[in-house]
Amino acid sequence: MSSTETKEERKARRKAEKEVKAAAAGAGDDTEPKEETKDERRARRAAKKAAKAAEEVKEVEAEEAGDKKEKGDKKDKKEKKDKKDKKDKKDKSDKVDKKDKRDKKRKRDGDDADAAPAETITTSEPTEAVPAEAKPPKRPKGSKKANAAKLAAGVTTLSADVFADPTLSDAAKKGIAYAQAFAAKDTSGWKFQKAKQGWLLRNVFSSAEVTDAYVDVVIGYLVTVVGGARAALVSRAKDVRDGKKVEEKEEEEAKPEAGDKEAPAEAADAEAKKGAETATAPAAPTPADEEAEAAAAVAKSRAERLLAAMGEA
């Protein structure tokens, strides 16, 4: 018959059971874990905070390093862009300078051609027209400075020959020099000038203005004119060849057409005037008349040469 367990016995039994469980749980351990003191707990927490603070510092430094690198990359890109823009601006400026120099040189060459055109060789035979599609000859090889020096030497010689000719008027010197520059336009920088062409068109048949030494180069230029200027030149050359004067041509154009009522009276007056002139005894030719006949013969010869060269004979 079992006896009733007292309070003290129950406590002792429970304590013993706890000790058994603790012994079973800590079997194999040499030492029993110590309980953490208050100072140790504070130290552990301080160390944990310090480690966390150090980790945050590292993160901030890493972010700053990234920002610094990004700023450096941006700075490098900006510097490269500035260098490229500066180079492009310089290249553009150089191109503009080169274009200005070319324009100035072209203008200077044109002025030099007007003042002193390059020399051309004249022949006794009429110059044939140069086809529009003909390609200009290639420039001689050599440096630009050497070519410019050769050109300057040729222009100077030509200027001395033409502009020192005492038999030519100032207008004739300029007009003939213009035609000679055209003959050598591949090297003299020739450019069209309407006023000088007009002078050549008006004076090609005049031996007083265009002497025989320069008539070939003038005809060589005039055969290349086109449009209305060519038509007018051909018409005038034919009139000179046929011996028609300006007055005779105007009278011929002013003849009345058929059916004009006043025509018989005007024709009668003309016949009477012509009969009176025929009845008058011819006067002896004067030196002026002889000079006029010689000039007319020269003009006729030039007109024939010009028409043959233009294919209008």
Side-chain angles (χ1 to χ4, degrees):
M1 186 174 175
S2 62
S3 58
T4 303
E5 187 178 26
T6 64
K7 186 175 181 180
E8 288 77 7
E9 290 175 346
R10 188 168 54 255
K11 289 181 178 181
R13 180 177 55 78
R14 289 179 178 175
K15 185 177 181 181
E17 289 177 355
K18 287 181 180 181
E19 290 177 355
V20 171
K21 288 180 180 180
D29 294 339
D30 295 337
T31 58
E32 186 177 352
K34 296 181 180 180
E35 186 178 355
E36 186 179 30
T37 63
K38 188 175 182 180
D39 294 335
E40 290 175 346
R41 186 168 54 255
R42 288 179 179 176
R44 178 175 57 78
R45 290 177 178 176
K48 188 176 181 181
K49 287 182 180 180
K52 187 175 181 181
E55 187 176 352
E56 290 177 353
V57 170
K58 288 182 179 180
E59 291 178 357
V60 171
E61 290 177 351
E63 290 178 359
E64 290 178 352
D67 294 340
K68 187 175 181 181
K69 183 179 180 182
E70 186 177 355
K71 288 180 180 179
D73 294 341
K74 289 182 179 179
K75 185 177 180 181
D76 293 340
K77 288 181 180 179
K78 187 175 183 303
E79 290 177 354
K80 289 180 180 179
K81 185 177 181 301
D82 292 341
K83 288 181 180 180
K84 186 176 181 301
D85 294 341
K86 189 176 181 180
K87 184 176 180 299
D88 293 341
K89 187 176 181 181
K90 186 176 182 300
D91 293 342
K92 187 176 181 181
S93 177
D94 292 341
K95 288 181 180 179
V96 172
D97 292 341
K98 289 180 180 178
K99 184 177 182 301
D100 292 341
K101 289 181 180 178
R102 286 197 299 269
D103 293 342
K104 289 180 181 178
K105 184 177 182 300
R106 192 179 297 111
K107 184 178 180 182
R108 184 170 60 253
D109 292 343
D111 294 340
D112 292 343
D114 293 340
E119 186 175 3
T120 184
I121 300 175
T122 60
T123 60
S124 58
E125 298 180 359
T127 306
E128 296 182 358
V130 180
E133 63 275 10
K135 294 183 180 180
K138 293 183 179 179
R139 292 180 180 270
K141 293 183 179 180
S143 64
K144 293 182 179 179
K145 292 183 178 179
N147 292 337
K150 293 179 182 179
L151 172 59
V155 170
T156 304
T157 304
L158 179 62
S159 300
D161 292 342
V162 177
F163 290 95
D165 192 337
T167 63
L168 299 175
S169 64
D170 291 340
K173 292 176 182 178
K174 294 179 181 179
I176 294 170
Y178 171 75
Q180 288 180 327
F182 172 80
K185 64 181 179 180
D186 292 331
T187 55
S188 68
W190 177 91
K191 61 181 180 179
F192 173 74
Q193 296 186 34
K194 187 176 181 180
K196 292 180 180 178
Q197 176 177 288
W199 187 93
L200 294 174
L201 291 169
R202 294 190 301 273
N203 295 279
V204 62
F205 305 113
S206 172
S207 57
E209 291 292 343
V210 180
T211 58
D212 292 338
Y214 306 105
V215 67
D216 289 323
V217 72
V218 172
I219 291 178
Y221 170 77
L222 292 178
V223 296
T224 64
V225 299
V226 295
R230 178 183 176 88
L233 178 61
V234 171
S235 176
R236 183 163 178 246
K238 289 181 178 179
D239 291 341
V240 173
R241 180 195 61 185
D242 298 338
K244 290 183 180 180
K245 297 181 180 180
V246 177
E247 295 80 1
E248 293 177 356
K249 188 175 180 181
E250 291 177 351
E251 291 177 2
E252 189 175 305
E253 292 175 352
K255 285 183 179 180
E257 297 180 357
D260 193 342
K261 294 180 179 180
E262 298 180 359
E266 292 180 359
D269 293 340
E271 288 294 334
K273 185 177 181 181
K274 185 176 180 180
E277 291 177 355
T278 304
T280 305
T286 63
D289 295 334
E290 293 177 354
E291 290 181 2
E293 290 180 2
V298 172
K300 181 178 180 180
S301 174
R302 292 185 180 184
E304 291 175 348
R305 291 172 57 187
L306 181 60
L307 289 171
M310 299 177 75
E312 299 287 346

